């Protein structure tokens, strides 16, 4: 069954792409993606998509692969084959998304999928042994996998480290990457991998290497035995199904379909399994969820580029003011990128806590064996913790993450400008204060910019960069360059209260407070929001953001935008803050947080507060679905308004910002795609109904109305 | 006649205003496979034997040196300053200070060059340097958890506290910590790194086996011809007198070819037969200013001239010290490769030597990694490690450096050459190279 052996070279962290210097003898043929040469009696089949940095299973790749393999099988001089990529760090990254997008309907995708299956099946059943020499990212297709672990990998699309893949039995042998020798490490490693793979292929033909080790451990025997009972198998399907439902709330169709395919394959044989797989794949590829996720993929790729060009100076020293959660978080994502990072706080306790956070982040990576303890230490040597401004003259950029108070921000910007050199950029990590107000205290407003990170900084991918009219293009380019170095997905937005993300979130949170005041339990509120696809429920989100921050933002933006940002009573939040319920960080918020306890209970003391500010729900707009739409429509309307007002550069960045920064349901693809998919008219209709009850908080903005009037208007073409 | 009549770039490396420092004598205990005749000793016993051998051979009065320095790698915790323990035991005056240095496989090189430094600075006139390694017994520790419990137990005041601490001991506490010949920074064993290095330079298994065979064959020849005069006899307490290295085993290519890869399994090329083996042994040299040596009536063996230490990436260039050190020390001395009559390179692994030779022979490597216009050039094999090397004679980590320098001095005398070069790699990605000039005979 398994004609394929896999060798893997772990090349973690190597993203250098070197153009292949191989000259193929078969270059005379018209093939561009797959070629082979015969070394001794081993055919070395090399995969290389000349048009891309990575190899994908495009139509051309599949066609040429089939051609080459047919020639290899037909060639009597060939006893075995080695399958290898000429690209350092990439074997086959997966199916070609563009190819799937180019299909007009599910049937076409199904057909494509069947072509691919046929090829893999042929390779699997190859009469001549094939060694797959994998260097870098690889799609698991065609590899025989053990059932229990296969479930896990297929479902989550996890990236697996080479050593783990070996343990899981996905690959048979690991080849360590080489250092410099007579060629560059990347080139030599590929050559070496090929040499070892050829020896393996010969070894298999000579029967020196058994085709597959039947370990026959008690565990695996037991596993097979148990799996032979239908009852046990059903129990496994059920368990996995339950797990998937719990994680995806049934909003993502793919994992369930995968279980279905595996089930069909196991119960009814491989042919039925393959058919189910290709048909389901075809259907899935053309679902709105697929369109949403593909859209996000393209958006993310776009937001990983610096459209402002290369900055004049590279930031080599970055100073961060304030060693709180955010400041230390920014340090965490900076220090391991080879940037000298200065973390400044005003108190020793604050600094110590911040430095510990950075250490812990790296130490956790060490524990997970992503980095060695030595790498941890050498990364940390780039971090300087201090209480004064010494050495700030060497800073190329200062990011302040101090308390959200305009007066403090002004004091800080003056202190910084007194010590830094003229080229130094001042960035503010504020979540709501307009940057131009902060820049008002600056002598060099062209060097002032907003860099809004999301908590926890090391986990949240988004960075919202805010430019004022005075911010220079080079300052923006530099901020984007730093963000990209930190591994962030970046949106660049215009200045204004709450910018884009906070401005979208505030009305939704205001609505959430109203929902609570109307007597909905925080747990129910969370269930409603996660049920809509938000990864974190609204009440939990408020606790994570911090009730004090939420109160602050609600008040500030309420002043700036007036009654449109009303709904819930800000006093609810303020009372909570007064009682010390500041959310997770203080141990109590909507919920009570106890260290070590995963299950959180609703904070019993907020009942009194909500009782005090109780509102009577209107049954006409209080069904579960209505509550969900009340929350989401305010979010979406504000997002569209941001586009209308020019805060946003385009709907793409709007979607990316909402999904990656605020957890807008990824299966919906972001507020703009959501409007496109649902139909602006339908959304407006709902909003009008809510407007009748609550007033202008639900008045659709002009741009949304325009889209509602003309159904041909779409945010995404 | 004399092969070395060709003209040298320089007549001598003596420089005005710079003290001439000489190697008066160098000795070593026989190097034995660990776990053999030395098995029941302690490291300082071996070092003591080397020191006594040196005293015996030179007739040096026991208070005539100013300082004693020893190099070692795996330290016996009871004798962490092994230099002092060995010196006292060897009968040196207790007024002579002694310290121990560690720099992996170039520890005794560091001991020697520290001695050179002390003499050059005018602080000392005569220094004994040496090195010792004892792999028959290595410190195996309790686990960190267990150590922590035991230390807390020391501080426990009440029986209850003690009992609760003892009760907290789990099976996991009992698994011991073994020392490994692995880089701390990368956690990679040296053999594994050597295999990757050999692969990076395309060194084949056959090339490695051939070089290892050459080392054993030459060592056997040298041993049989009585050329290894630095070896002293050592009466091991409770055992026989040992007077020969016991790791020299010339085999056949066929026999060696049968071995399986030892580190990178199964496709690696480094095997037990083409690697240096775990060895017990000690060495000692007497280093003096030329004036002092002559005043004491000694006939020095050689001048110790320029030396360099180099270091590079401990992961991918762990064992490339000789490639980096050789051109650097030659440049310092103002010599070229062709001026050197005797080469003694430390053979950690046959693959490592071959990789270094290939690196030195590569224009690409010279340009890309050494910042040179072209390649370093390779030492001619007819001048290279002619009396065997670490692969065959053995490699007691801390002691090898003195053996290399003494061997160069002896070979210069025997072969009539003028300049010799020592080069060695060491864990941590470090390396050492030294130029030695023959003392006029």
């Amino acid at each position: 069954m398994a004609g394929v052996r896999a060798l893997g070279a772990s090349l973690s962290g190597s993203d250098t792409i070197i153009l292949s210097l191989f000259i193929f003898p078969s270059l005379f043929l018209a093939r561009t993606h797959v070629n082979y040469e015969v070394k001794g009696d081993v055919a070395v089949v090399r995969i290389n998509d000349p048009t891309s940095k990575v190899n994908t299973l495009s139509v051309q790749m599949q066609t040429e692969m089939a051609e080459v393999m047919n020639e290899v099988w037909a060639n009597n001089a060939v006893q075995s084959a080695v399958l290898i990529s000429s690209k350092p760090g990439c074997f086959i990254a997966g199916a070609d998304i563009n190819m799937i997008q180019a299909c007009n309907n599910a049937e076409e995708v199904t057909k494509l999928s069947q072509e691919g299956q046929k090829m893999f099946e042929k390779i699997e059943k190859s009469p001549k042994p094939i060694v797959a020499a994998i260097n870098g990212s690889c799609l698991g297709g065609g590899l025989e996998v053990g059932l229990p672990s296969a479930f896990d990998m297929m479902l989550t699309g996890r990236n697996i480290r080479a050593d783990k893949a070996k343990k899981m039995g996905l690959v048979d042998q690991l080849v360590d990457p080489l250092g410099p020798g007579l060629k560059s490490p990347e080139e030599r490693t590929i050559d070496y991998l090929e040499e070892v793979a050829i020896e393996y292929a010969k070894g298999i033909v000579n029967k020196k290497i058994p085709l597959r080790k039947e370990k026959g451990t008690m565990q695996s025997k037991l596993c097979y035995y148990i799996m032979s009972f239908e009852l046990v198998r059903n129990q496994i399907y059920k368990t996995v199904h339950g797990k998937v439902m719990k994680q995806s709330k049934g909003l993502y169709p793919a994992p369930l379909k995968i279980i279905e395919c595996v089930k069909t394959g196991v119960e009814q044989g491989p042919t039925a399994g393959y058919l189910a797989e290709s048909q389901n794949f075809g259907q899935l590829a053309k679902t709105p969820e697929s369109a949403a996720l593909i859209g996000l993929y393209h958006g993310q790729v776009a937001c990983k580029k610096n459209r402002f060009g290369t900055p004049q100076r590279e930031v080599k020293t970055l100073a961060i003011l304030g060693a709180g959660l955010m400041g230390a978080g920014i340090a965490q994502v900076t220090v391991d990128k080879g940037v000298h990072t200065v973390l400044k706080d005003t108190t020793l306790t604050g600094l110590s806590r911040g430095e510990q956070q950075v250490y812990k982040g790296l130490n956790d990576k060490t524990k997970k064996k992503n980095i060695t303890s030595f790498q941890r230490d050498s990364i940390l040597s780039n971090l300087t913790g201090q209480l004064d401004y010494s050495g700030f003259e060497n800073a190329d950029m200062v990011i302040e993450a101090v308390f959200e108070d305009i007066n403090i921000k002004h004091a800080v910007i003056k202190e910084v400008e007194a010590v830094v050199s003229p080229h130094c950029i001042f960035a503010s990590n504020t979540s709501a204060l307009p940057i131009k107000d902060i820049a008002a205290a600056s002598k060099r407003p062209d060097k002032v910019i907003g860099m809004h990170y999301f908590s926890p900084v090391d986990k949240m991918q988004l960075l919202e960069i805010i430019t004022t009219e005075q911010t220079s293009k080079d300052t923006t380019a530099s901020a984007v360059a730093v963000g990209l170095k930190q591994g962030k997905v970046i949106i660049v937005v215009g200045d204004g209260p709450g910018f884009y993300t906070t401005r979208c979130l505030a009305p939704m949170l205001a609505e959430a407070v109203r929902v609570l005041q109307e007597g909905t339990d925080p747990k129910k509120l969370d269930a409603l929001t996660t049920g809509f696809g938000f990864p974190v429920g609204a009440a939990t989100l408020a606790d994570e953001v911090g009730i004090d921050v939420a109160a602050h933002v609600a008040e500030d933006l309420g002043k700036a935008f007036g009654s449109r940002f009303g709904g819930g009573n800000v006093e609810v939040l303020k009372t909570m803050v007064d009682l010390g319920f500041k959310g997770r960080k203080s141990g109590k918020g909507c919920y009570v947080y106890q260290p070590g306890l995963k299950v959180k209970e609703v904070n019993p003391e907020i009942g009194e507060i909500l009782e005090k500010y109780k509102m009577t729900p209107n049954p006409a707009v209080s069904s579960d679905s209505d509550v969900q739409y009340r929350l989401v429509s305010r979010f979406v309307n504000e997002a569209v308004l941001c586009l209308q007002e020019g805060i946003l550069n385009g709907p793409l960045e709007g979607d990316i910002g909402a999904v990656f920064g605020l957890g807008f349901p990824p299966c919906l693809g972001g507020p703009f795609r959501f409007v496109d998919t649902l139909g602006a008219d339908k959304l407006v209709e709902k909003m009008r109904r809510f407007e009748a009850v609550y007033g202008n908080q639900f008045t659709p903005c002009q741009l949304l109305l325009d889209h509602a009037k003309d159904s041909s208007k779409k945010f995404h073409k | 006649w004399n092969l070395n009549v060709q003209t040298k770039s320089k007549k001598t490396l003596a420089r005005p205003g710079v003290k001439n420092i000489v190697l008066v004598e160098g000795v070593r205990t026989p190097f034995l496979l660990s776990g053999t005749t030395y098995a029941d000793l302690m490291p300082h016993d071996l070092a003591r034997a080397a020191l006594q051998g040196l005293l015996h051979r030179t007739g040096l009065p026991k208070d005539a040196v100013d300082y004693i320095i020893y190099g070692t790698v795996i330290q016996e915790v009871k004798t962490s300053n092994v230099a002092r323990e060995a010196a006292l035991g060897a009968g040196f005056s207790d007024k002579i200070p002694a310290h121990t240095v560690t720099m992996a496989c170039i520890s005794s090189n560091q001991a020697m060059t520290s001695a050179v430094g002390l003499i050059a600075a005018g602080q000392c006139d005569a220094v004994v340097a040496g090195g010792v390694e004892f792999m028959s017994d290595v410190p195996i520790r309790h686990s960190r958890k267990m150590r922590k419990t035991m230390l807390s137990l020391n501080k426990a005041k009440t029986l209850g506290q003690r009992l609760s601490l003892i009760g907290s001991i789990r099976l996991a506490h009992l698994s011991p910590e073994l020392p490994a010949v692995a880089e701390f920074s990368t956690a990679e064993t040296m053999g594994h790194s050597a295999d990757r290095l050999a692969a990076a330079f395309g060194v084949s298994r056959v090339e490695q086996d051939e070089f290892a065979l050459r080392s054993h064959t030459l060592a056997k020849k040298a041993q049989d011809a009585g050329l290894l005069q630095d070896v002293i006899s050592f009466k091991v307490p409770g055992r026989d007198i040992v007077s020969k290295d016991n790791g020299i085993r010339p085999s056949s290519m066929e026999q060696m070819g049968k071995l399986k890869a030892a580190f990178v399994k199964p496709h690696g090329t480094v095997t037990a037969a083409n690697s240096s083996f775990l060895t017990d042994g000690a060495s000692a040299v007497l280093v003096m200013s030329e004036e002092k040596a002559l005043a004491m009536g000694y006939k020095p063996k050689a001048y110790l001239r320029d030396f360099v230490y180099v270091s590079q990436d401990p992961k991918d260039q762990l064992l490339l010290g000789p490639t980096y050190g050789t051109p650097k020390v030659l440049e310092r001395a103002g010599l070229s490769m062709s001026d050197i009559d005797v080469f003694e390179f430390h053979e950690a692994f046959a693959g490592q030597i071959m990789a270094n030779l290939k690196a030195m022979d590569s224009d690409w490597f010279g340009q890309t990694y050494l910042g040179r216009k072209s390649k370093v050039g390779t030492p001619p094999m007819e001048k290279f490690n002619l009396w065997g090397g670490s692969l065959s004679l053995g490699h007691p980590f801390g002691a090898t450096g003195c053996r290399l320098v003494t061997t160069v001095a002896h070979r210069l005398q025997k072969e009539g050459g003028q300049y010799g070069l020592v080069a060695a790699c060491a864990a941590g990605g470090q390396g050492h190279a030294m130029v030695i000039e023959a003392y006029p005979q």
Side-chain angles (χ1 to χ4, degrees):
Chain A
M1 175 166 173
V4 186
R5 307 255 313 179
L7 269 84
S10 68
L11 251 188
S12 55
S14 152
D15 49 6
T16 343
I17 303 291
I18 303 241
L19 280 177
S20 166
L21 298 175
F22 295 117
I23 296 167
F24 302 119
S26 44
L27 235 148
F28 306 106
L29 302 174
R31 285 197 288 263
T32 50
H33 287 53
V34 186
N35 278 295
Y36 78 104
E37 108 180 76
V38 180
K39 289 191 167 179
D41 57 3
V42 182
V44 180
V45 181
R46 296 197 182 91
I47 311 164
N48 189 14
D49 181 346
T51 60
S52 166
K53 276 187 183 178
V54 292
N55 294 322
T56 50
L57 287 175
S58 60
V59 178
Q60 176 136 18
M61 184 73 85
Q62 294 192 22
T63 320
E64 292 190 13
M65 178 68 94
E67 274 177 35
V68 166
M69 289 319 295
N70 283 332
E71 282 177 36
V72 166
W73 285 317
N75 189 338
N76 288 331
V78 171
Q79 296 288 322
S80 58
V82 166
L83 216 56
I84 192 166
S85 160
S86 306
K87 288 186 198 297
C90 177
F91 184 68
I92 296 175
D96 183 356
I97 287 190
N98 294 322
M99 168 179 87
I100 296 169
Q101 259 185 317
C103 292
N104 291 315
N105 52 43
E107 285 71 39
E108 280 185 36
V109 184
T110 301
K111 197 165 161 277
L112 265 181
S113 167
Q114 279 168 339
E115 293 292 320
Q117 283 176 345
K118 263 188 227 156
M119 185 182 81
F120 281 125
E121 202 188 349
K122 261 177 112 172
I123 290 176
E124 210 177 290
K125 291 187 176 155
S126 167
K128 297 174 183 176
I130 300 173
V131 175
I134 301 159
N135 179 359
S137 46
C138 162
L139 153 99
L143 301 180
E144 194 197 43
V145 284
L147 190 65
S149 56
F151 257 129
D152 193 14
M153 194 189 66
M154 286 191 283
L155 296 178
T156 54
R158 272 190 305 140
N159 287 325
I160 302 165
R161 277 207 322 262
D163 52 349
K164 186 108 189 253
K166 170 106 193 295
K167 264 194 196 148
M168 287 166 66
L170 283 178
V171 298
D172 298 283
Q173 196 58 53
L174 296 184
V175 175
D176 288 284
L178 301 180
L182 300 176
K183 283 182 183 175
S184 75
E186 297 78 14
E187 280 177 79
R188 180 58 197 139
T189 300
I190 285 206
D191 288 1
Y192 178 55
L193 180 62
E194 184 180 309
E195 288 163 20
V196 174
I198 289 175
E199 283 312 306
Y200 255 84
K202 285 182 183 163
I204 294 170
V205 171
N206 302 338
K207 312 257 184 250
K208 277 187 187 153
I209 297 169
L211 200 52
R212 179 146 297 261
K213 259 183 264 170
E214 288 299 344
K215 274 192 183 158
T217 58
M218 271 313 279
Q219 205 190 354
S220 69
K221 275 182 190 161
L222 200 67
C223 185
Y224 275 108
Y225 179 67
I226 290 177
M227 288 293 286
S228 66
F229 294 101
E230 197 183 341
L231 187 75
V232 176
R233 289 200 304 270
N234 281 336
Q235 195 55 43
I236 291 177
Y237 300 137
K238 223 173 110 187
T239 311
V240 177
H241 191 273
K243 216 173 150 185
V244 165
M245 282 306 286
K246 204 178 158 200
Q247 278 186 14
S248 71
K249 313 269 175 208
L251 294 166
Y252 296 84
L256 297 175
K257 294 284 186 195
I258 293 175
I259 301 175
E260 204 182 299
C261 294
V262 173
K263 195 172 166 180
T264 313
V266 172
E267 305 295 333
Q268 298 169 30
T271 318
Y274 279 137
L275 187 68
E277 186 190 57
S278 63
Q279 284 172 347
N280 280 326
F281 188 68
Q283 286 168 19
L284 284 171
K286 288 294 150 190
T287 54
E289 288 84 3
S290 167
L293 294 173
I294 290 176
L296 284 177
Y297 169 78
H298 285 307
Q300 194 188 2
V301 170
C303 291
K304 286 254 182 198
K305 288 185 180 132
N306 194 345
R307 61 183 158 98
F308 298 89
T310 313
Q312 283 167 16
R313 258 173 199 270
E314 194 192 344
V315 172
K316 288 183 179 146
T317 301
L318 178 78
I320 299 155
L321 304 179
L325 264 182
M326 293 304 285
I330 299 168
Q332 238 174 305
V333 297
T334 312
V335 73
D336 59 349
K337 311 298 185 314
V339 177
H340 177 211
T341 309
V342 179
L343 189 59
K344 180 196 172 299
D345 203 282
T346 46
T347 67
L348 206 57
T349 28
L351 182 62
S352 167
R353 196 218 61 83
E355 288 198 60
Q356 177 60 28
Q357 182 185 330
V358 180
Y359 173 81
K360 187 174 179 295
L362 289 167
N363 199 41
D364 288 349
K365 283 188 188 175
T366 311
K367 281 187 191 156
K368 286 185 196 149
K369 300 208 170 152
N370 290 334
I371 56 171
T372 65
S373 61
F374 176 77
Q375 283 168 319
R376 174 199 66 204
D377 297 346
S378 97
I379 291 168
L380 273 175
S381 70
N382 258 334
L383 181 77
T384 315
Q386 58 189 54
L387 296 171
D388 57 16
Y389 284 104
S390 65
F392 266 55
E393 63 274 13
N394 297 321
D396 303 303
M397 180 182 281
V398 175
I399 301 179
E400 68 79 13
V402 301
F403 193 69
E404 293 270 67
D405 177 320
I406 192 74
N407 296 320
I408 297 177
K409 304 268 187 199
H410 280 174
V412 158
I413 203 169
K414 282 178 186 155
E415 281 173 23
V416 167
E417 287 189 354
V419 289
V420 295
S421 49
H423 76 271
C424 181
I425 291 166
F426 183 90
S428 174
N429 172 52
T430 174
S431 51
L433 295 173
I435 303 301
K436 66 173 186 307
D437 294 358
I438 295 173
S442 168
K443 280 184 269 177
R444 321 165 294 156
D446 60 310
K447 298 278 185 201
V448 179
I449 195 164
M451 289 174 84
H452 179 202
Y453 291 87
F454 294 77
S455 186
V457 182
D458 59 325
K459 303 257 158 54
M460 296 295 284
Q461 278 185 282
L462 191 73
L463 168 63
E464 182 181 30
I465 290 180
I466 306 102
T467 59
T468 71
E469 281 168 9
Q470 288 172 294
T471 308
S472 75
K473 190 178 163 240
D474 187 61
T475 300
T476 313
S478 191
V480 174
V482 166
L484 289 178
K485 203 180 256 186
Q486 291 166 335
K488 296 292 168 197
V489 171
I490 296 168
I491 61 169
V492 180
V493 303
D495 195 20
F499 328 123
Y500 168 64
T501 51
T502 312
R503 194 173 147 181
C504 292
L505 190 60
M508 181 169 132
L509 281 181
E511 194 59 30
V513 173
R514 170 152 59 200
V515 170
L516 290 175
Q517 284 176 267
E518 286 179 351
T520 305
D521 174 49
K523 278 205 166 162
K524 168 84 178 168
L525 174 62
D526 274 356
L528 286 175
T529 27
T530 53
F532 202 77
F534 282 89
V536 178
T540 308
L541 183 65
D543 276 0
E544 293 289 339
V545 171
I547 303 296
D548 52 336
V549 176
H552 219 90
V553 168
E555 209 172 12
D556 280 358
L557 295 190
K559 274 182 207 155
F561 295 109
S563 59
R564 194 174 81 239
F565 274 53
N569 193 336
V570 183
E571 291 305 316
V572 173
L573 297 173
K574 281 182 157 177
T575 316
M576 284 176 74
V577 176
D578 289 342
L579 292 170
F581 306 152
K582 293 181 183 175
R584 178 188 276 280
K585 58 189 168 191
S586 65
K588 275 181 185 176
C590 296
Y591 295 96
V592 179
Y593 298 90
Q594 279 166 311
L597 268 186
K598 268 202 165 176
V599 197
K600 51 182 197 278
E601 289 305 323
V602 173
N603 182 0
E605 291 164 88
I606 62 161
E608 283 170 43
I609 307 170
L610 292 175
E611 191 59 36
K612 190 177 159 197
Y613 295 100
K614 193 177 157 91
M615 290 200 253
T616 319
N618 182 330
V621 289
S622 296
S623 71
D624 282 359
S625 162
D626 279 343
V627 170
Q628 286 177 328
Y629 273 96
R630 274 162 57 191
L631 291 161
V632 173
S633 64
R634 290 188 67 179
F635 186 122
V636 171
N637 187 46
E638 203 60 36
V640 177
L641 189 56
C642 282
L643 182 63
Q644 180 184 319
E645 289 179 0
I647 296 278
L648 274 178
N649 174 50
L652 189 91
E653 292 200 1
D655 281 346
I656 292 294
V659 171
F660 288 95
L662 305 172
F664 193 88
C667 55
L668 303 177
F672 294 94
R673 188 169 296 277
F674 170 65
V675 173
D676 282 355
T677 314
L678 179 74
D681 51 340
K682 289 210 183 84
L683 187 65
V684 166
E685 188 196 311
K686 283 182 198 285
M687 289 183 75
R688 292 293 187 203
R689 208 153 49 79
F690 304 146
E691 190 186 17
V693 177
Y694 295 111
N696 74 334
Q697 291 135 20
F698 289 97
T699 309
C701 69
Q702 191 54 49
L703 185 58
L704 194 58
L705 288 173
D706 292 348
H707 277 241
K709 244 180 264 164
D710 180 356
S711 65
S712 70
K713 281 195 173 172
K714 295 279 180 198
F715 292 112
H716 294 283
K717 297 287 169 265
Chain B
W1 306 325
N2 197 338
L3 283 169
N4 299 297
V5 283
Q6 74 239 50
T7 19
K8 304 283 180 190
S9 308
K10 284 185 167 180
K11 276 195 178 132
T12 171
L13 294 177
R15 266 174 288 196
V18 175
K19 245 185 214 175
N20 280 330
I21 295 164
V22 294
L23 174 79
V24 175
E25 184 57 273
V27 298
R28 63 179 177 93
T29 68
F31 286 175
L32 302 191
L33 298 160
S34 65
T36 57
T37 315
Y38 295 151
D40 298 327
L41 298 178
M42 280 180 71
H44 72 284
D45 292 325
L46 275 180
R48 198 157 49 88
L51 286 173
Q52 279 174 322
L54 186 71
L55 284 172
H56 178 73
R57 192 166 287 182
T58 55
L60 185 75
K62 288 180 173 174
D63 57 355
V65 293
D66 306 309
Y67 208 94
I68 295 168
I69 311 171
Y70 251 74
T72 197
V73 180
I74 309 274
Q75 278 177 311
E76 162 62 53
V77 282
K78 286 179 188 165
T79 58
S80 58
N81 186 3
V82 69
R84 179 64 174 162
E85 313 307 339
L88 287 174
F92 276 92
S93 158
D94 61 7
K95 298 281 187 285
I96 304 171
H99 82 258
T100 301
V101 293
T102 188
M103 201 174 179
C105 303
I106 51 177
S107 293
S108 63
N109 307 67
Q110 186 53 257
M112 285 183 292
T113 55
S114 298
V116 169
L118 285 170
I119 297 168
Q123 301 299 314
C124 298
D125 289 318
V127 180
V128 169
V132 59
E133 204 64 43
F134 188 68
M135 297 302 288
S136 290
D137 181 31
V138 290
I140 296 171
R141 304 200 292 179
H142 272 298
S143 67
R144 182 74 185 251
K145 279 180 190 161
M146 189 64 179
R147 286 174 356 235
K148 203 172 165 187
T149 310
M150 289 163 99
L151 288 171
S152 308
L153 213 51
N154 271 344
K155 289 180 196 148
K157 290 197 175 70
T158 66
L159 184 67
Q161 283 176 345
R162 281 189 205 114
L163 284 177
S164 92
L165 276 168
I166 291 170
S168 73
I169 296 173
R170 298 280 171 274
L171 208 59
H173 284 60
L174 300 174
S175 60
E177 265 180 35
L178 292 147
V181 188
E183 283 298 295
F184 181 73
S185 62
T186 63
E188 186 181 22
T189 62
M190 194 179 270
H192 196 279
S193 191
D195 203 315
R196 288 196 305 112
L197 186 75
F201 283 94
V203 179
S204 69
R205 167 74 184 269
V206 170
E207 282 177 288
Q208 295 180 46
D209 285 354
E210 277 171 358
F211 185 84
L213 186 56
R214 171 190 191 269
S215 180
H216 280 280
T217 311
L218 290 175
K220 181 88 177 87
K221 241 165 102 182
Q223 191 178 51
D224 290 348
L227 297 174
L228 307 177
Q229 357 153 4
D230 54 341
V231 179
I232 51 149
S233 293
F234 174 23
K235 167 69 179 77
V236 181
R239 306 254 195 152
D240 290 339
I241 291 178
V242 181
S243 49
K244 267 187 176 179
D245 303 324
N246 73 355
I248 306 172
R249 319 154 275 184
S251 170
S252 66
M253 285 300 286
E254 198 202 349
Q255 285 293 326
M256 293 176 86
K258 283 182 189 164
L259 286 179
K260 284 191 175 156
F263 302 98
V264 175
K265 292 167 189 169
H267 54 266
T269 51
V270 173
T271 68
N274 60 36
S275 313
S276 55
F277 48 87
L278 293 182
T279 313
D280 300 337
S283 56
V285 295
L286 177 59
V287 183
M288 286 184 171
S289 66
E290 186 180 18
E291 291 165 306
K292 175 80 174 179
L294 295 177
M296 286 184 76
Y298 287 118
K299 167 94 180 159
K301 287 182 188 277
Y303 292 109
L304 301 182
R305 298 296 194 190
D306 296 278
F307 62 85
V308 294
Y309 286 92
V310 291
S311 62
Q312 55 281 331
D313 171 19
K315 176 149 185 69
D316 289 332
Q317 305 201 354
L318 183 70
L319 306 172
L320 282 181
T323 300
Y324 283 85
T326 301
K328 211 170 158 188
V329 81
L330 286 177
E331 197 177 318
R332 263 189 79 86
L335 297 178
S336 65
M337 194 73 89
S338 58
D339 289 320
I340 305 295
D341 305 301
V342 165
F343 291 89
E344 281 294 327
F345 278 36
H346 162 50
E347 302 166 348
F349 300 88
Q352 163 260 333
I353 286 287
M354 296 311 292
N356 272 283
L357 294 179
K358 293 200 180 203
M360 291 163 90
D361 196 32
S362 161
D363 283 327
W364 184 83
F365 192 86
Q367 286 154 0
T368 316
Y369 288 95
L370 302 174
R372 295 169 59 88
K373 288 204 181 79
S374 60
K375 61 187 176 187
V376 175
T378 45
M381 290 312 277
E382 62 274 16
K383 296 179 180 176
F384 191 85
N385 292 10
L386 289 188
W387 294 355
S390 299
L391 285 172
S392 46
L393 301 171
H395 173 39
F397 308 138
T400 289
C402 290
R403 174 186 71 74
L404 293 172
V405 168
T406 308
T407 305
V408 167
H410 287 163
R411 275 185 58 198
L412 284 172
Q413 285 184 336
K414 185 83 187 167
E415 297 166 17
Q418 190 188 0
Y419 296 122
L421 179 84
V422 160
C425 59
Q430 312 211 69
H432 170 74
M434 186 195 264
V435 173
I436 292 139
E437 183 179 343
Y439 199 83
Q441 294 185 7

